[in-house]
Amino acid sequence: MLLRFLKDEEGATAIEYGLIAGIVALGIITSLTLVKGELLAVFTDIVTHFQNI
């Protein structure tokens, strides 16, 4: 029973998918943080444009 438990790789696959999802989420958060100022400027320009119409 112990050998069967040690050879079971289903949990390892789930952990690998979890790690991949975590890395992707970290990449998205990092990239959004880097472009936050630029996005804010674009949306501020759009709002200012529509207020002046």
Side-chain angles (χ1 to χ4, degrees):
M1 184 173 173
L2 180 63
L3 290 175
R4 189 171 16 142
F5 175 73
L6 292 175
K7 289 181 181 181
D8 187 13
E9 295 182 3
E10 289 181 18
T13 303
I15 291 172
E16 290 169 354
Y17 283 130
L19 288 173
I20 291 170
I23 291 170
V24 169
L26 184 63
I28 291 171
I29 291 169
T30 302
S31 63
L32 288 177
T33 301
L34 292 174
V35 298
K36 177 178 67 172
E38 296 166 7
L39 285 175
L40 183 61
V42 168
F43 287 121
T44 302
D45 289 343
I46 292 170
V47 169
T48 303
H49 176 75
F50 282 115
Q51 287 177 346
N52 291 334
I53 293 180

